């Protein structure tokens, strides 16, 4: 499942036409703070996938977005409530990182959700070890690596008398981000209570060509992320009920 996070889809300096087109395309995003872009769900009982495209997600308002999330965590026979604590655990770690970092603002970025849909395979995975920490750390480390490479590539493409100064700033930024990633990694490694569930799921930050340098918290991203966390927490109680309504024949 691909979920766009934040209320903005354009940079502040985008043309008025682009802003208007984007708003029409994502009209529920400013209030909701997140939007399902698409999802593919495996139904074990039928041995096939159900696919929902971006058109489906764009039509979901604040109330209907809950139904979209229920779709993602549902098969025709059950609601995968068992996966929610692991996803929430990962999302809260991402939230913690965004609470601390002030170097970048992410515009029109997404979170990619993945889980093992074959419950028989999940039972086998629960007996294995060693995957949790590497995958957890990757959420943060991959973001730092990709965002930094984006700016470093831009700096290398520039020429002129400021090139030396730009390289120095890039070096300083890389060093600071290395320290940041080490701190976050330490925090992530402290928790392993959900290990057997964590190995059945994954979350990745994707699509950040519009990550821009900043000196303040990314409140827009945090707004959408927290709205998503609140919605998923509500499914801990309401998910099975919505699932019954969804698949009631």
């Amino acid at each position: 499942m691909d979920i766009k996070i934040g209320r903005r889809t354009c940079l502040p300096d985008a043309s008025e036409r682009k802003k208007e087109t984007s708003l029409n395309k994502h009209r529920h995003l400013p209030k909701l703070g997140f939007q399902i872009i698409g999802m593919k769900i495996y139904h074990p009982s039928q041995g096939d996938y159900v696919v929902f495209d971006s058109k489906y997600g764009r039509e979901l308002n604040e109330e209907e977005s809950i139904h979209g999330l229920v779709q993602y965590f549902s098969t025709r026979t059950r609601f995968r409530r068992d996966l929610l604590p692991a996803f929430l655990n990962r999302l809260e770690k991402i939230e913690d990182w965004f609470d601390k970092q002030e170097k970048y603002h992410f515009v029109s970025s997404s979170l990619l959700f993945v889980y093992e849909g074959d419950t028989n395979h999940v039972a086998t995975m629960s007996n294995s070890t060693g995957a949790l920490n590497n995958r957890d750390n990757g959420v943060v480390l991959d973001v730092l690596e990709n965002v930094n490479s984006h700016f470093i590539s831009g700096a290398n493409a520039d020429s002129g008398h400021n090139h030396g100064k730009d390289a120095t700033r890039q070096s300083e930024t890389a060093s600071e981000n290395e320290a940041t990633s080490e701190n976050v990694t330490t925090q992530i490694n402290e928790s392993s209570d959900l290990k057997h569930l964590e190995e059945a799921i994954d979350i990745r930050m994707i699509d950040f060509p519009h990550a821009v340098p900043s000196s303040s918290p990314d409140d827009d991203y945090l707004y959408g992320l927290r709205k998503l966390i609140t919605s998923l927490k509500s499914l801990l109680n309401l998910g099975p009920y919505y699932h019954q309504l969804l698949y009631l024949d």
Side-chain angles (χ1 to χ4, degrees), residues 4-23:
K4 190 177 294 293
I5 303 293
R7 292 166 288 188
R8 299 175 299 173
T9 57
C10 293
L11 295 173
D13 58 354
S15 67
E16 291 302 319
R17 181 177 181 180
K18 183 174 180 60
K19 290 178 181 178
E20 182 179 356
T21 300
S22 179
L23 182 60

Side-chain angles (χ1 to χ4, degrees), residues 73 80-88 115-116 122 197 200-201:
F73 288 102
R80 295 300 305 275
R81 183 185 183 280
D82 57 310
L83 299 175
L84 288 175
F87 275 111
L88 286 167
Y115 69 82
E116 175 56 63
V122 172
L197 292 175
I201 69 104

